[in-house]
Amino acid sequence: MPVLASPDLGQIHFLEKDVISFPEGVPAFEHLHTFLLVQPDEFAPFMFLVSTDSPATRFICLPICLIEPDYHFELDREEGARTGFEAGAYPVAAPGGPLVLAVTTIQETAPATVNLASPILVDAERRLGAQLILSGTAYSHVAPLKTRGRLEGAC
Amino acid sequence: MLVFRRKIGESVILDGQIEVQLLEITGSRVKLGFTAPQAIPIVRKELYLTQVQNQQAVARGTADSLKRMVSEMRAQVTLTDPGASAPAK
């Protein structure tokens, strides 16, 4: 079984079938194409998106519905074609729709922020992920992290 | 902010080396063309902001600082959410 040595999480044992492919990488890390989504109980509801090629590169993510229960956006055809996700309204209400995650930035001296303008989609079934660049969105790249009184539940 | 009026086909030059040309206008959308030395990255602002945010997200925060945050958030939820399980008295 392959193992990653993560500076944050220690040794992560994983199966090849759990690797999520990000064909375009993510902005500023376009060279990293494979990630694991790790969800240790002690950090719930946060998840770690860890690069398998560079385990020190990790994104701390939150399901956006825990931050903004009414969060929604329209994925246009161009961005859908770039990322491999179907154009249309997100989040997808039907079961099995992709996870919609926000990248969290933890600050030592200021409140944490979440990027609501560039959601990460993860399709568990296709093992496919992408960070979307939403044009003309009213959501902020640096929204204050507030969890609206709940830390778990279905999104 | 410096403002110019330009017609289709007209350009502005930045710093003697970057040309921004107005190519097309369709409804509320404008098509711009950029000519610049290869070393100058040109990206849409929303992509640039995401790049910056991703770099900071990777560089900042440790498992310890996140653990502190998680325990603060859990304490807060227990205090504010009547649905959450309250500690036994």
Side-chain angles (χ1 to χ4, degrees):
Chain A
M1 185 184 282
V3 180
L4 284 187
S6 153
D8 290 314
L9 302 173
Q11 300 236 311
I12 305 171
H13 297 260
F14 66 100
L15 301 171
E16 288 297 344
K17 71 170 183 61
D18 291 333
V19 175
I20 300 163
S21 163
F22 280 69
E24 302 280 307
V26 294
F29 299 90
E30 287 84 0
H31 58 296
L32 301 177
H33 300 288
T34 48
F35 288 82
L36 285 177
L37 189 60
V38 189
Q39 310 174 41
D41 286 343
E42 56 185 319
F43 294 106
F46 291 95
M47 307 174 185
F48 289 74
L49 195 61
V50 184
S51 161
T52 59
D53 293 323
S54 163
T57 304
R58 57 85 184 104
F59 297 96
I60 298 168
C61 298
L62 268 180
I64 292 189
C65 64
L66 296 182
I67 310 160
E68 285 287 338
D70 300 326
Y71 184 81
H72 62 94
F73 63 88
E74 194 75 23
L75 180 57
D76 65 36
R77 260 185 301 176
E78 200 177 318
E79 187 68 352
R82 181 183 76 81
T83 57
F85 285 86
E86 208 173 319
Y90 283 81
V92 175
L99 279 175
V100 183
L101 305 175
V103 173
T104 306
T105 304
I106 313 279
Q107 320 261 14
E108 295 300 332
T109 53
T113 62
V114 280
N115 184 349
L116 299 181
S118 318
I120 289 183
L121 294 185
V122 173
D123 182 329
E125 199 171 308
R126 288 190 292 160
R127 293 282 147 207
L128 178 71
Q131 185 168 26
L132 306 180
I133 306 298
L134 303 182
S135 294
T137 176
Y139 291 115
S140 169
H141 288 83
V142 286
L145 169 55
K146 290 184 197 138
T147 51
R148 317 273 167 169
R150 71 188 188 111
L151 294 180
E152 52 199 46
C155 291
Chain B
M1 185 190 284
L2 179 63
V3 178
F4 286 120
R5 285 178 193 279
R6 301 275 66 193
K7 291 180 184 155
I8 290 171
E10 293 179 341
S11 297
V12 295
I13 303 286
L14 314 184
D15 199 28
Q17 52 175 349
I18 302 167
E19 180 174 2
V20 183
Q21 189 176 19
L22 176 52
L23 297 177
E24 192 181 302
I25 306 173
T26 319
S28 63
R29 297 174 78 92
V30 171
K31 194 186 272 187
L32 301 173
F34 297 83
T35 311
Q38 255 187 346
I40 296 179
I42 300 173
V43 296
R44 293 174 293 148
K45 183 178 178 182
E46 51 270 36
L47 176 57
Y48 172 75
L49 292 175
T50 305
Q51 290 171 338
V52 170
Q53 217 36 54
N54 281 351
Q55 280 161 341
Q56 293 185 355
V58 164
R60 292 182 187 171
T62 59
D64 284 343
S65 55
L66 183 59
K67 263 183 210 162
R68 273 200 302 279
M69 245 179 69
V70 167
S71 55
E72 279 166 26
M73 282 163 62
R74 286 178 185 167
Q76 223 176 3
V77 167
T78 311
L79 285 175
T80 55
D81 181 3
S85 54
K89 284 184 182 167

